[in-house]
């Protein structure tokens, strides 16, 4: 039966090869897609031999691991931020939103795992659309949520008094992230502008960047600006502003300390102040770096497909970006939550065996170590 | 010793010195302070004078240090993300108390009295506030704010350590929260602050003139403030209503930001509309009080240690010859703002008249009146407290345990 199916499934392109060798059948990519769905596969992929089933299993294994990580990380974030009272603030709504997007991206993974075992897209066009909708909604939404988090942090840190975003504004911003993700999800899904097609191993789906017409090229250029350039520019802008604000505050505090005769034990104080700035820079850079790691490969592949040398885009090469952005979606919750003292305290309280050691944030405080000439002047008096 | 304290205690019919004390969790070291409010008289500031009583056997060669610490908190604790801390602690005075380094140090009367009473294990310490040190101010938190309130506060921290740089342990250290406050100068000044403004209109001739005069330059907390308003309308618009409010301006110098809060306001249509050609003279009475602003977030209060003595933050005074812009910490100022509503098209005519809000200076008649008022409020409490300390009243010293006053204060 399986043999029959295989024979039935051979497309017109695969036939010549089969005639060459009866024993070792070397199929081309897309051979197992039935005739009526052949239009799903772009000509480009047919130039490559079919990917071995071990590649498929390997990818399925990677995705299984990522799925578990993502479920744990994002699940804990949604659980703890959603249920603990001390974490119910406007800023944390964004972290939850990001986790929701990441979970949505995680939902792609079981689909891929099933596809990998069948070595084709299950459900053809419908399956492809569902897969790609999940991917584009969560990808674009996650990117812009990163930018919104950067904005929120910039607001809270640069004006700690009343800069904080209130819950209504936060809800509006969250709605904004969803609306930001919608156009490039609905338009291709409805085939109004662009379309969703299988890519790489033909077990995953994304927007079409191969069709050689003006429409597709403009679409790729737009999605590149919309979901990559704009969020990245915003992230860079807000974190650099935030860094500037922190430096300004530090400098003003030091000036005030000087006015009160607080003479520093130079090395200590220098270290203390520098570490605040370095800490901020580290966190900001990590977030920026993650964004770059997650989305540059995708941007590169899409832009190359539309405007560059397509021969570079082998099936394996085009699977790398998909894996990259999924890895980032697994790391996100840890990055955003791990430098949140109250989250860590809560985590420690609820899952003590995790070994998170966090001092109670209420008792921690920073000290500028100093000496003064007050005591000696008193002695002289 | 302040006369305030004398007034305070004569009430209990015992001429006694009231002293505050607090002991480390392990009970080995006790710190005594003569008062909790230290007054900045602009030209000089009360020194922080205290005495430490220590169990010398417990020390085993270690030393006792005392620090005068100021903490700036300029943002909510729950907003601290990315490792940013919205608070800064500065040690503005440090002294080795045991063993005593400077045996010839000048003692204040309270210290002398305490040393005499507490015996050979008592050691004095004194801190002077740096000249520029800001006043204690607390910004009123809102209902949902968690953690310590924002503001500037002071404390005296005493701990046991091998040397100055060694970290202290909770069980052998003790922190007493204190306040640094400013009082009004002895004379209130005769100048009456006033402001005269006028407003013209784009499409019609003539102006509306507004003159606002206050009956004093310096008001004491709880006093009624009278703003005399004269409106003369030479324009073709009419004044619909008048709003008069007391505005508290708060400048947080450490993050270079400022905001203002209306701490008392009054709106009137009496005598309105002031039609073209007419004029109106009217006096508004306002009393800016902390207790009528309990639910407004960010209202600056004199750093408060106990619930019952909350009042609005005093105006920040700057020594003569110093620029107000040089003041640090949280700078508070007040003004009366009058707004004339000239209709939807006419817009508003607004003017601000600055004034100062302070506690009366020590020794003035007003001070005595003020103290008497306060006494009435707390007479029952003190009777009760004194009854608790009867066994310690010998030598005319009353000891009051330093309550754990601040929220979440580390044990």
């Amino acid at each position: 039966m399986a043999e029959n199916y295989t024979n039935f499934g051979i497309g017109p392109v695969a036939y010549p090869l089969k005639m060459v060798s009866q024993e070792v059948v070397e199929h081309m990519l897309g051979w197992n897609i039935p005739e009526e769905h052949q239009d799903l596969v772009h000509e480009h992929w047919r130039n490559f031999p079919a990917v071995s089933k071990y590649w498929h299993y390997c990818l399925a294994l990677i995705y299984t691991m990522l799925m578990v990580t993502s479920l744990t990380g994002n699940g804990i974030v949604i659980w703890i931020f959603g249920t603990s009272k001390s974490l119910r603030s406007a800023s944390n709504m964004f972290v939850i939103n990001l986790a929701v997007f990441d979970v949505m991206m995680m939902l792609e993974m079981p689909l891929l795992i099933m596809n990998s075992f069948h070595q084709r897209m299950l459900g053809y066009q419908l399956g492809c659309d569902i897969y790609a909708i999940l991917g584009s909604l969560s990808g674009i939404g996650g990117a812009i949520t990163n930018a919104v988090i950067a904005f929120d942090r910039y607001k809270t840190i640069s004006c700690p008094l009343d800069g904080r975003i209130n819950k209504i504004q936060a809800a509006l911003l969250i709605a904004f992230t969803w609306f930001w993700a919608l156009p490039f999800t609905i338009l291709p899904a409805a085939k109004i502008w662009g379309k969703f097609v299988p890519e790489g191993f033909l077990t995953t789906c994304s927007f079409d960047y191969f069709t050689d017409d003006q429409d597709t090229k403009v679409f790729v250029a737009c999605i590149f600006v919309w979901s990559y350039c704009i969020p990245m520019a915003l992230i860079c802008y807000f974190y650099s502003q935030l860094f500037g604000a922190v430096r300004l505050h530090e400098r003003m505090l030091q000036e005030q300390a000087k006015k009160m005769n607080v003479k520093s034990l130079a090395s200590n104080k220098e270290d203390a102040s520098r570490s605040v700035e370095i800490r901020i820079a580290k966190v900001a850079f990590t977030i920026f770096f993650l964004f770059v790691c997650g989305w540059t490969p995708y941007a590169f592949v899409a832009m190359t497909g539309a405007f560059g040398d397509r021969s570079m885009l082998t099936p394996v090469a085009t699977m790398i970006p998909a894996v990259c952005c999924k890895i980032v979606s697994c790391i996100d919750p840890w990055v955003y939550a791990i430098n949140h003292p109250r989250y860590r305290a809560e985590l420690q309280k609820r899952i003590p065996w995790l070994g998170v050691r966090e001092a109670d944030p209420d008792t921690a405080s920073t000290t500028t170590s100093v000496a003064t000439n007050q005591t000696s002047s008193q002695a002289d008096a | 010793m302040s006369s305030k304290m004398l007034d305070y205690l004569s009430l209990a019919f015992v001429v006694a010195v009231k002293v505050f004390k607090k002991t480390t969790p392990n009970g080995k070291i006790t710190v005594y302070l003569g008062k909790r409010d230290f007054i900045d008289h602009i030209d000089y500031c009360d020194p922080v004078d205290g005495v430490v009583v220590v169990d010398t056997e417990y020390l085993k060669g270690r030393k006792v240090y005392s620090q005068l610490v100021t903490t700036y908190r300029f943002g909510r604790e729950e907003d601290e993300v990315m490792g940013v801390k919205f608070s800064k602690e500065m040690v503005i005075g440090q002294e080795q108390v045991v063993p005593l380094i400077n045996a010839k140090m000048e003692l204040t009367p309270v210290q002398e009295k305490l040393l005499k009473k507490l015996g050979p294990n008592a050691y004095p310490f004194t801190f002077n506030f740096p000249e520029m040190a800001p006043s204690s101010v607390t910004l009123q938190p809102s209902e949902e704010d968690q953690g310590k309130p924002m503001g500037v506060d002071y404390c005296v921290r005493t701990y046991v350590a091998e040397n100055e740089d060694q970290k202290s342990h909770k069980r052998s250290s003790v922190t007493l929260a204190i306040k640094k406050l400013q009082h009004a100068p002895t004379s209130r000044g005769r100048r009456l602050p006033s402001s005269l403004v006028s407003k013209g209109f784009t499409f019609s001739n003539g102006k509306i003139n507004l003159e606002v005069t206050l009956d004093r330059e310096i008001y004491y907390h709880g006093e009624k403030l009278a703003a005399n308003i004269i409106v003369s309308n030479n324009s073709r618009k009419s004044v619909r209503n008048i709003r008069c409010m007391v505005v508290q301006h708060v400048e947080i110098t450490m993050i270079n930001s400022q905001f203002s809060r209306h701490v008392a306001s009054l709106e009137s249509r009496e005598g309105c509309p002031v039609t073209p050609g007419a004029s109106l003279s009217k006096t508004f009475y306002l009393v800016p009080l902390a207790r009528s602003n309990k639910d407004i977030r960010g209202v600056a209060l004199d750093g408060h240690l106990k619930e019952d003595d909350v009042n609005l933050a005093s105006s920040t005074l700057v020594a003569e010859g110093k620029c107000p812009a040089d003041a640090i910490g949280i700078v508070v100022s007040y003004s009366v703002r009058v707004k004339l509503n000239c209709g939807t098209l006419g817009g508003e005519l607004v003017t601000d008249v600055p004034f100062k809000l302070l506690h009366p200076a020590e020794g003035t008649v007003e001070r005595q009146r003020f103290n008497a008022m306060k006494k009435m409020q707390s007479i029952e409490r003190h009777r009760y407290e004194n009854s608790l300390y009867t066994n310690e009243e010998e030598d005319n010293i009353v000891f009051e345990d330093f309550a754990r006053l601040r929220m979440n204060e580390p044990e």
Side-chain angles (χ1 to χ4, degrees), chain A residues 349-374:
Chain A
K349 206 167 79 190
R350 299 214 194 168
I351 323 177
W353 46 263
L354 213 60
V356 185
R357 268 172 228 279
E358 174 63 21
D360 188 352
D362 289 339
T363 58
S365 68
T366 50
T367 309
T368 311
S369 190
V370 286
T372 65
N373 52 8
Q374 287 302 308

Side-chain angles (χ1 to χ4, degrees), chain B residues 41-297:
Chain B
H41 306 271
I42 312 296
D43 43 346
Y44 76 99
C45 185
D46 293 351
V48 180
D49 49 343
V51 166
V52 172
V53 174
V54 61
D55 182 342
T56 30
E57 272 173 40
Y58 163 76
L59 278 185
K60 293 197 189 84
R62 283 176 299 176
K63 293 161 183 168
V64 177
Y65 296 96
S66 235
Q67 291 177 328
L68 178 60
V69 180
T70 175
T71 308
Y72 284 2
R73 174 159 278 286
F74 47 89
R76 270 163 299 205
E77 216 166 346
E78 69 257 38
D79 291 347
E80 292 175 344
V81 283
M82 297 177 75
V84 174
K85 288 270 183 236
F86 288 146
S87 79
K88 198 81 176 174
E89 202 177 275
M90 283 180 264
V91 180
I92 52 178
Q94 173 140 6
E95 197 173 319
Q96 179 183 315
V97 184
V98 186
L100 195 61
I101 288 184
N102 178 15
K104 281 180 287 183
M105 105 193 230
E106 220 171 274
L107 297 177
T108 60
V110 176
Q111 282 175 326
E112 272 172 13
K113 226 167 190 170
L114 281 168
L115 287 178
K116 212 168 80 192
K117 176 174 163 44
L118 297 167
N121 284 346
Y123 300 86
F125 66 88
T126 309
F127 291 116
N128 281 339
F129 285 101
E131 203 185 328
M132 291 295 294
S135 296
S136 298
V137 173
T138 303
L139 301 184
Q140 188 159 266
S142 74
E143 288 281 308
E144 71 239 41
D145 284 0
Q146 309 155 345
K148 294 178 200 116
M150 287 186 255
V152 172
D153 58 43
Y154 289 91
C155 65
V156 174
R157 186 191 293 144
T158 306
Y159 62 96
V160 177
E162 302 278 351
N163 56 54
E164 221 169 280
D165 298 328
Q166 203 190 16
K167 246 190 131 211
S168 56
H169 289 285
K170 270 184 188 172
R171 62 178 185 282
S172 62
S173 57
V174 58
T175 305
L176 289 79
I178 58 169
K179 285 193 280 186
K180 176 179 180 288
L181 300 174
Q182 285 181 322
H183 282 178
T186 36
S187 93
R188 286 224 245 185
R190 289 175 174 261
R191 199 180 70 88
L192 301 185
S194 75
S195 160
L196 177 63
V197 287
S198 58
K199 180 184 169 75
F201 299 94
T202 329
F203 297 111
S204 60
N205 294 328
K207 287 181 170 179
I208 295 178
N209 296 314
L210 167 64
E211 188 180 350
V212 181
T213 310
L214 303 183
D215 62 340
R216 284 186 187 286
E217 189 184 1
I218 295 175
Y219 292 93
Y220 298 139
H221 288 290
E223 245 181 10
K224 188 157 72 179
L225 170 159
N228 194 18
I229 295 171
I230 301 169
V231 181
S232 52
N233 189 354
N234 302 320
S235 75
R236 289 184 196 172
K237 305 274 179 192
S238 59
V239 177
R240 303 276 178 84
N241 67 348
I242 302 171
R243 259 193 96 187
C244 180
M245 51 214 150
V246 175
V247 186
Q248 183 187 55
H249 306 272
V250 181
E251 190 188 342
I252 300 176
T253 60
M254 47 268 204
I255 49 169
N256 201 10
S257 68
Q258 51 199 11
F259 61 87
S260 46
R261 294 281 184 266
H262 299 163
V263 289
S265 80
L266 207 63
E267 189 165 347
S268 163
R269 285 175 181 275
E270 203 186 306
C272 292
V274 184
T275 47
S279 63
L280 172 73
S281 174
K282 194 170 160 56
T283 306
F284 282 81
Y285 296 99
L286 292 163
V287 189
L289 282 175
R291 60 171 178 273
S292 47
N293 292 291
K294 274 208 150 96
D295 45 355
I296 303 178
R297 188 182 155 251

Side-chain angles (χ1 to χ4, degrees), chain A residues 97-362:
Chain A
N97 192 45
L98 184 65
V100 168
F101 277 127
D102 286 342
V103 164
M104 193 182 258
M105 183 168 278
M106 187 280 302
L107 291 179
E108 275 191 338
M109 299 179 191
L111 296 180
L112 176 115
I113 292 163
M114 286 192 293
N115 291 344
S116 292
F117 283 101
H118 289 85
Q119 300 179 27
R120 65 174 177 84
M121 200 74 210
L122 287 179
Y124 304 110
Q125 188 62 58
L126 181 67
C128 185
D129 281 347
I130 292 174
Y131 189 95
I133 285 172
L134 285 175
S136 95
L137 206 56
S138 63
I140 302 175
I144 199 69
T145 306
N146 271 298
V148 167
I149 290 176
F151 169 70
D152 170 61
R153 288 180 163 182
Y154 159 68
K155 287 276 283 176
T156 8
I157 290 180
S158 66
C159 20
L161 288 171
D162 31 22
R164 188 165 73 164
I165 289 172
N166 64 35
K167 290 210 168 139
I168 296 160
Q169 289 167 317
L172 286 176
L173 276 171
I174 284 173
F176 165 76
T177 62
W178 285 84
F179 279 114
W180 185 267
L182 277 183
F184 286 93
T185 306
I186 290 177
L187 295 178
K191 298 207 166 47
I192 297 168
W193 191 22
K195 61 179 196 273
F196 290 133
V197 290
E199 55 165 6
F201 291 2
L202 303 186
T203 49
T204 66
C205 263
S206 180
F207 59 90
D208 171 28
Y209 42 82
F210 270 133
T211 307
D212 221 347
D213 59 8
Q214 200 61 31
D215 223 24
T216 311
K217 287 194 169 159
V218 174
F219 179 86
V220 172
C222 284
I223 203 172
F224 173 72
V225 172
W226 186 264
S227 63
Y228 182 73
C229 297
I230 294 178
M232 183 144 87
L234 291 175
I235 289 173
C236 287
Y237 175 75
F238 290 127
Y239 279 117
S240 56
Q241 290 287 307
L242 183 153
F243 186 70
V246 170
R247 282 187 70 167
L248 182 72
H249 292 172
E250 283 296 313
R251 214 179 54 223
M252 291 179 118
L253 283 167
Q254 270 174 29
E255 266 168 30
Q256 301 219 346
K258 216 186 286 166
K259 276 189 185 171
M260 283 193 284
N261 279 330
V262 177
K263 274 190 283 177
S264 63
L265 299 170
S267 61
N268 272 350
K269 193 175 162 192
E270 203 75 348
D271 286 350
S273 72
R274 201 184 296 139
S275 73
V276 174
E277 289 161 18
I278 285 184
R279 213 158 44 214
I280 303 283
K282 265 188 195 161
V283 177
F285 189 75
T286 311
I287 287 162
F288 173 72
F289 183 72
L290 270 186
F291 185 86
V292 169
C293 282
W295 294 105
T296 308
Y298 233 126
F300 176 77
V301 165
M303 293 304 273
T304 316
F307 303 105
D309 173 16
R310 294 178 174 192
S311 63
M312 288 160 69
L313 303 181
T314 62
V316 177
T318 47
M319 287 321 289
I320 293 171
V323 176
C324 277
C325 63
K326 261 125 210 135
I327 292 177
V328 169
S329 82
C330 296
I331 302 175
D332 267 347
W334 300 105
V335 170
Y336 281 105
I338 220 72
N339 47 47
H340 198 305
R342 279 180 194 275
Y343 171 77
R344 279 184 300 192
E346 196 68 28
L347 198 62
Q348 184 191 21
K349 206 167 79 190
R350 299 214 194 168
I351 323 177
W353 46 263
L354 213 60
V356 185
R357 268 172 228 279
E358 174 63 21
D360 188 352
D362 289 339

